[in-house]
Amino acid sequence: MLLSRELPDYLYSLRSAGGRQATVNDRTLTRSFVLAPNALVEDWPVRAVAELTIEHLAPVLEQSPAVVILGTGEKQVFPPAALMAACLTQGIGIEVMNNASAARTFNVLAGENRRVVAAIIIDSAD
């Protein structure tokens, strides 16, 4: 049997993610970030769901997503209802999950050519 590796037709793949780090392509990131299939915004200034504001969504919404995957660290933690409403009132779906689930979901949706953006919160407590 002949096996061939199928490469995605987008630039960035979220290979793994946990509470303290994530791997985008072959790079390890230790700070929160925003990821679209063809864009990476590093050093997103959010360290916990509790500090997340509507203003923090600007780099997420600049990517024109149809759905936002919010990775909240090791555990699923829901943001304030106003933040969820800010997406929903613009017709943008938002799904909240732990980072490992967010990585898997992002890759599936990106592989289906969906307009997905992942906002991944990394606990970079020093």
Side-chain angles (χ1 to χ4, degrees):
M1 173 181 359
L2 179 62
L3 298 176
S4 62
R5 182 175 175 206
E6 185 174 324
L7 298 174
D9 58 352
Y10 48 92
L11 294 177
Y12 296 104
S13 178
L14 187 49
R15 296 173 51 111
S16 68
R20 298 232 179 228
Q21 69 180 25
T23 304
V24 174
N25 293 353
D26 293 324
R27 275 188 66 207
T28 300
L29 302 177
T30 57
R31 297 188 184 270
S32 299
F33 60 94
V34 174
L35 182 68
N38 292 309
L40 172 61
V41 178
E42 295 186 60
D43 295 329
W44 187 44
V46 178
R47 291 178 57 172
V49 174
E51 70 182 44
L52 190 58
T53 66
I54 293 171
E55 290 77 25
H56 287 123
L57 291 180
V60 175
L61 300 179
E62 285 174 5
Q63 302 301 321
S64 301
V67 64
V68 173
I69 305 298
L70 178 61
T72 59
E74 285 293 326
K75 296 181 180 180
Q76 179 187 42
V77 180
F78 285 92
L83 191 118
M84 303 278 288
C87 288
L88 296 173
T89 58
Q90 295 182 48
I92 300 169
I94 181 166
E95 298 293 335
V96 180
M97 55 194 72
N98 68 36
N99 287 354
S101 296
R104 291 187 300 270
T105 303
F106 173 83
N107 289 327
V108 167
L109 295 177
E112 294 174 350
N113 293 315
R114 302 271 305 272
R115 290 186 353 256
V116 61
V117 175
I120 305 295
I121 298 173
I122 301 292
D123 178 9
S124 57
D126 300 313

